[in-house]
């Protein structure tokens, strides 16, 4: 018999830790290869950790709501035969210790960097471990090291968890702020003061029901508010005649599914057209970093997808401009299916450079979506509806029934002016209306 260390796998370049949300297997359970052992959550997406071996789960090293670093051992699986990774006599103690020491060293280095960059402030280091996520929240909210040290931690060995610091922030606004001492260090010295209006009181009657927001719902809420506060949102609208696309799809969809094994919807057709449009207008494929503009080298399209619980997630199609229509269809269908099944990997919702949302799937003729930061624009596809329209012909104008779709383009007016924002959707319109009804797929 051998003992295998199940570690928290790498979950994306920017993901350093995850929170245990649920143990699917319990101590004593038999585990098959690729069986889900535990569910975890990052600040971006929920995910599952599968087993890499067959065997018996003999030890669980972390409890629900514990924060685990990438690479740490989270469970021990006893296997038969050779070739499994053998655990030392004191499992998990060394990996945890090493990870903690590395994290502590990172904090020490960060403090030293700030210490050397700020004149006139004496600083002190801390022996207490803080996760990268907690440090990020502390920096954003302007929490001093001295203030952070005073927060009671409910995590392993008294560590401050994400829930601890968020709970502290909720109560912080009702408490007098601590004056900075000579022994404290501000994580964000130049953070401007926020002037926030007090929220209006909410009255609750006996028939009202209080529903706790989900973890993802809270993240979406904060992300949307932050986007509105960051970008100067402006919208442009255009109506597109999609009759050629509708007729072509109706003609080839059965043959497409028979040959490729995938349903051909309108979404991959429009996503491919968006990628072509971005190539013609690359300055829409940018991000803002202070006073600098970052022009993205890849076209990575975010595809907003509704989840069964009403929340929204945005998987990303990487290098979308390099995909054929068949390739785009397979990507769209795969990401949509795994989004609904909560099977996306953290890397698959990161790195987007432009986002498309299909508000028409709910019957809306148009919408004004909020920009998905740090991008600078988002396209909303409205419902396709039949309308009487004027058709120009060499013999004169005629009235006919056409399939029409209204598209709205929300963009950040700090860096995208009305000309570029309008030209972008005009180019998109031209590509769609010039669709060749006789082409193959």
């Amino acid at each position: 018999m051998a003992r295998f260390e199940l570690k928290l796998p790498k979950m994306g370049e920017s993901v350093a830790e995850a929170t245990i949300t649920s143990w699917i297997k319990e101590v004593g359970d038999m585990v098959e290869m690729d069986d889900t052992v535990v569910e975890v959550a990052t600040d971006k997406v929920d995910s599952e950790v599968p087993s890499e071996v067959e065997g018996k789960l003999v030890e669980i090293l972390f409890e629900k709501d514990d924060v685990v670093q990438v690479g740490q051992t989270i469970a021990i699986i006893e296997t038969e035969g050779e070739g499994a990774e053998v655990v030392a006599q004191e499992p998990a103690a060394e990996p945890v210790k090493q990870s903690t020491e590395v994290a502590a060293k990172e904090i020490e280095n960060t403090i030293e960097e700030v210490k050397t960059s700020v004149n006139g402030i004496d600083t002190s280091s801390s022996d207490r471990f803080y996760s990268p996520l907690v440090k990020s929240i502390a920096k954003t909210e302007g929490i001093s090291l001295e203030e952070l040290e005073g927060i009671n931690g409910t995590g392993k060995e008294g560590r401050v968890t994400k829930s601890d610091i968020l709970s502290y922030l909720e109560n912080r606004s009702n408490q007098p702020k601590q004056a900075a001492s000579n022994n404290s260090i501000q994580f964000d010295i130049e953070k401007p003061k926020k002037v926030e209006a007090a929220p209006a009181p909410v009255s609750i009657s006996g028939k009202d029901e209080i529903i706790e927001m989900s973890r993802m719902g809270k993240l979406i809420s904060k992300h949307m508010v932050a986007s509105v506060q960051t970008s100067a949102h402006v919208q442009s609208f255009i109506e597109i005649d999609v009759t050629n696309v509708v007729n072509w799809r109706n003609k080839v969809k059965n043959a497409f599914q028979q040959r490729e094994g995938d349903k051909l919807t309108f979404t991959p057709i429009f996503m491919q057209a968006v990628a072509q449009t971005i190539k013609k207008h690359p300055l829409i494929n940018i991000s803002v970093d202070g006073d600098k503009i970052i022009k993205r080298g890849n076209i990575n399209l975010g595809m907003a997808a509704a989840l069964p619980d009403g929340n929204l997630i945005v998987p990303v199609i990487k290098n979308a401009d390099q995909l054929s229509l068949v390739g785009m269809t397979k990507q769209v269908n795969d990401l949509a299916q795994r989004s609904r099944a909560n099977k996306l990997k953290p890397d698959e919702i990161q790195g987007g450079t432009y986002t498309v949302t299909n508000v028409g799937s709910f019957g809306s003729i148009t919408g004004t979506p909020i920009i998905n930061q740090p991008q600078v624009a988002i396209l909303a596809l409205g419902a396709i509806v039949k309308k009487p329209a004027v058709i120009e012909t060499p013999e004169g104008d005629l009235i006919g029934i056409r399939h029409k779709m209204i598209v709205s383009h929300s963009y950040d007016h700090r860096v995208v002016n009305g000309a570029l924002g309008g030209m972008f959707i005009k180019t998109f319109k031209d590509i769609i209306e010039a669709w060749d009804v006789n082409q193959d797929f």
Side-chain angles (χ1 to χ4, degrees), residues 53-127:
V53 296
E54 294 182 6
K56 181 179 180 180
L57 182 61
V58 295
E59 192 172 354
I60 289 176
L61 303 178
F62 290 92
E63 298 178 358
K64 180 181 177 182
D65 296 328
D66 280 352
V67 177
V68 185
Q69 303 297 309
V70 169
Q72 276 190 266
T73 302
I74 56 178
I76 306 298
I77 299 173
E78 196 171 72
T79 66
E80 293 184 0
E82 300 179 355
E85 184 176 348
V86 179
V87 185
Q89 291 295 322
E90 297 182 1
E94 188 60 26
V96 173
K97 179 181 177 183
Q98 290 176 356
S99 178
T100 304
E101 289 176 349
V102 171
K105 188 63 178 178
E106 289 179 358
I107 295 176
E108 183 180 343
N109 291 340
T110 301
I111 292 173
E112 288 302 318
E113 290 176 4
V114 180
K115 184 176 179 181
T116 57
S117 64
V118 180
N119 293 324
I121 297 180
D122 294 327
T123 62
S124 60
S125 61
S126 171
D127 294 328

Side-chain angles (χ1 to χ4, degrees), residues 285-287 296 298-303 314-318 347-355 372-376:
N285 200 49
I286 63 173
S287 293
R296 300 299 185 182
N298 298 325
I299 297 176
N300 299 334
L301 294 185
M303 180 185 73
V314 186
V316 177
I317 301 170
K318 305 292 176 65
D347 271 347
E348 293 174 322
I349 62 168
Q350 299 182 57
T353 61
Y354 187 92
T355 297
N372 187 15
Q373 299 293 331
Q375 300 163 30
V376 299

Side-chain angles (χ1 to χ4, degrees), residues 180-412:
S181 71
N182 289 335
N183 294 322
S184 66
I185 176 173
Q186 294 292 334
F187 281 88
D188 193 350
I189 302 300
E190 299 181 356
K191 181 178 177 63
K193 295 182 179 179
K194 294 181 180 179
V195 180
E196 299 180 354
V202 179
S203 61
I204 301 174
S205 69
K207 295 183 178 180
D208 295 336
E209 179 185 1
I210 299 175
I211 301 174
E212 182 69 24
M213 290 179 67
S214 66
R215 188 191 68 83
M216 183 175 289
K218 292 177 183 178
L219 290 174
I220 293 173
S221 175
K222 292 180 180 180
H223 190 59
M224 294 297 97
V225 172
S227 180
V228 172
Q229 293 174 340
T230 299
S231 296
H233 282 63
V234 175
Q235 285 82 28
S236 294
F237 303 84
I238 201 165
E239 187 175 57
I240 303 176
D241 188 329
V242 296
T243 305
N244 286 350
V245 171
V246 171
N247 291 340
W248 179 81
R249 174 183 171 271
N250 289 338
K251 182 176 69 172
V252 306
K253 64 181 181 180
N254 291 334
F256 186 97
Q257 185 169 3
Q258 185 176 8
R259 191 185 85 179
E260 301 298 335
D262 276 280
K263 289 184 178 181
L264 177 62
T265 65
F266 290 111
T267 300
I269 297 174
F270 294 141
M271 295 293 274
Q272 188 181 52
V274 168
Q276 294 173 15
T277 305
I278 291 175
K279 293 197 75 170
K280 295 178 181 291
H281 301 285
L283 287 181
I284 210 76
N285 200 49
I286 63 173
S287 293
V288 180
D289 182 15
D291 295 330
K292 298 181 177 62
I293 293 174
I294 301 173
K295 185 178 176 183
R296 300 299 185 182
N298 298 325
I299 297 176
N300 299 334
L301 294 185
M303 180 185 73
L307 301 178
D309 62 1
N311 283 317
L312 195 72
I313 198 165
V314 186
V316 177
I317 301 170
K318 305 292 176 65
N319 299 310
D321 56 314
Q322 299 176 21
L323 296 175
S324 65
L325 182 58
V326 172
M328 181 70 77
T329 301
K330 290 185 178 296
Q331 283 263 13
V332 167
N333 291 348
D334 174 59
L335 290 174
Q337 290 168 5
R338 289 194 292 113
S339 294
R340 290 188 290 268
N342 195 29
K343 298 290 186 181
L344 291 175
K345 300 174 183 177
D347 271 347
E348 293 174 322
I349 62 168
Q350 299 182 57
T353 61
Y354 187 92
T355 297
V356 179
T357 180
N358 185 3
V359 299
S361 60
F362 306 106
S364 299
I365 59 171
T366 191
T368 54
I370 296 174
I371 296 167
N372 187 15
Q373 299 293 331
Q375 300 163 30
V376 299
I378 181 171
L379 193 76
L381 305 171
I384 297 175
V385 296
K386 291 182 180 180
K387 289 184 178 182
V390 175
I391 305 171
E392 296 180 356
T393 71
E395 291 75 28
D397 294 343
L398 302 173
I399 299 294
I401 303 299
R402 307 293 289 179
H403 293 271
K404 298 275 191 171
M405 176 180 70
I406 297 176
V407 169
S408 78
H409 192 211
S410 298
Y411 46 94
D412 188 343

